[in-house]
């Protein structure tokens, strides 16, 4: 059973389009995240949700809108895609009350052409 | 503030060589420390962790010791294998419930037969 699953794994789209990435975790964690990994492998947090509530928004353009319908799901919708949005997007989850690690999904490689 | 600094890569070693990847951190509290590994085309996997000073995390022959006096968490392995070729990330969580993990920039390891 996959702990944190993202779909799709690859996404190629044209500039100006709107796209969504879905994420689900079956670990029972309360906290979920979206991270962006650039071409140099640097990981930057975008959003953090705790029990469906937005906790952290790291100055991400408002073209990016996360949505958490329940604590097991955190989806990412991106409007008006730009070339600079090309990256690998990782969903992750963790239990906030313990010294536990974050569990990561396989990533979604977004390419904007 | 909170941050993680890793040695820049790539690091290229021959099989069976000794590996050290340096990691130092800055944190406002008593963080938990992690090493993650990312194999090509995959997500991040936890390699090891340490949650308090002087703890040693270990897994698959890799080790790292939480050194509060030097604010370091260096990754070591006595004898690397070709299969260890990957990108390694040092990370910290400032305290349980902080809802954010800080990552270093990643160090790419290439092991040659």
């Amino acid at each position: 059973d996959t702990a944190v699953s993202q779909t799709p794994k690859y996404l190629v789209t044209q500039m100006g389009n709107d796209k969504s990435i879905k994420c689900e975790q079956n670990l029972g964690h309360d906290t979920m995240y979206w991270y962006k990994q650039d071409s140099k492998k640097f990981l930057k947090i975008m959003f953090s949700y705790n029990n469906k509530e937005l906790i952290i928004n790291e100055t991400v353009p408002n073209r990016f809108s996360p949505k958490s319908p329940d604590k097991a799901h955190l989806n990412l919708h991106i409007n008006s895609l730009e070339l600079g949005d090309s990256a690998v997007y990782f969903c992750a989850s963790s239990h906030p009350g313990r010294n536990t690690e974050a569990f990561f999904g396989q990533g979604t490689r977004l390419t904007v052409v | 503030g909170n941050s993680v600094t890793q040695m820049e890569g790539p690091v290229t070693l021959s099989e069976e060589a000794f590996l050290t990847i340096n990691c130092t951190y800055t944190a406002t509290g008593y963080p938990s420390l992690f090493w993650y590994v990312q194999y090509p085309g995959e997500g991040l996997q936890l390699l090891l962790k340490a949650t308090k000073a002087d703890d040693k995390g270990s897994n698959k022959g890799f080790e790292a010791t939480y050194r509060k006096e030097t604010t370091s968490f260096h990754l070591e392995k006595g004898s690397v294998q070709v299969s260890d070729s990957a990108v390694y990330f040092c990370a910290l969580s400032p305290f349980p419930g902080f809802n954010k993990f800080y990552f270093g920039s990643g160090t790419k390891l290439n092991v040659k037969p």
Side-chain angles (χ1 to χ4, degrees), chain A residues 3-4 25 27 29 31-33 91-95 101-104:
Chain A
V4 181
Q25 54 95 3
L27 298 166
H29 290 160
T31 304
M32 295 186 72
Y33 313 81
C91 177
S93 72
S94 70
H95 192 294
E101 65 273 23
F103 290 77
F104 282 79

Side-chain angles (χ1 to χ4, degrees), chain A residues 9 31 33 35 37 41 43 45 48 55-56 58 90 94 96 98-102 104-106, chain B residues 32 34 36 38 41-44 46 49 51 87 89 96-105:
Chain A
K9 188 168 182 179
T31 304
Y33 313 81
Y35 277 85
Q37 186 176 47
K41 301 292 188 183
L43 279 158
I45 191 165
S48 168
I55 303 297
I56 290 175
E58 288 281 309
F90 285 102
S94 70
R98 307 171 190 157
N99 285 321
T100 58
E101 65 273 23
F104 282 79
Q106 291 286 83
Chain B
S32 294
F34 308 88
Y36 282 84
Q38 184 180 26
E42 297 186 11
L44 278 74
L46 179 72
K49 67 179 181 182
T51 58
V87 181
F89 292 90
F98 190 75
N99 297 310
K100 181 176 178 178
F101 290 77
Y102 294 81
F103 285 86
S105 55

Side-chain angles (χ1 to χ4, degrees), chain B residues 55-110:
Chain B
D55 268 2
K56 178 186 281 189
S58 61
N59 186 25
K60 299 180 182 179
F62 291 88
E63 292 184 341
T65 301
Y66 188 147
R67 300 283 188 203
K68 192 166 176 61
E69 63 276 12
T70 54
T71 62
S72 65
F73 192 54
H74 304 321
L75 182 68
E76 296 181 338
K77 187 176 186 183
S79 175
V80 293
Q81 305 300 312
V82 172
S83 57
D84 294 326
S85 298
V87 181
Y88 292 82
F89 292 90
C90 186
L92 73 82
S93 174
F95 52 83
F98 190 75
N99 297 310
K100 181 176 178 178
F101 290 77
Y102 294 81
F103 285 86
S105 55
T107 303
K108 184 174 174 62
L109 171 66
N110 296 315

Side-chain angles (χ1 to χ4, degrees), chain B residues 5-69:
Chain B
T5 303
Q6 282 181 242
M7 62 187 285
E8 287 207 20
V11 174
T12 301
L13 296 173
S14 297
E15 209 165 20
E16 299 184 2
F18 184 85
L19 168 71
T20 300
I21 300 178
N22 289 337
C23 170
T24 57
Y25 68 89
T26 303
T28 52
Y30 297 93
S32 294
L33 301 173
F34 308 88
W35 276 101
Y36 282 84
V37 58
Q38 184 180 26
Y39 298 103
E42 297 186 11
L44 278 74
Q45 303 172 26
L46 179 72
L47 183 58
L48 52 85
K49 67 179 181 182
T51 58
K52 60 183 187 296
D54 300 326
D55 268 2
K56 178 186 281 189
S58 61
N59 186 25
K60 299 180 182 179
F62 291 88
E63 292 184 341
T65 301
Y66 188 147
R67 300 283 188 203
K68 192 166 176 61
E69 63 276 12

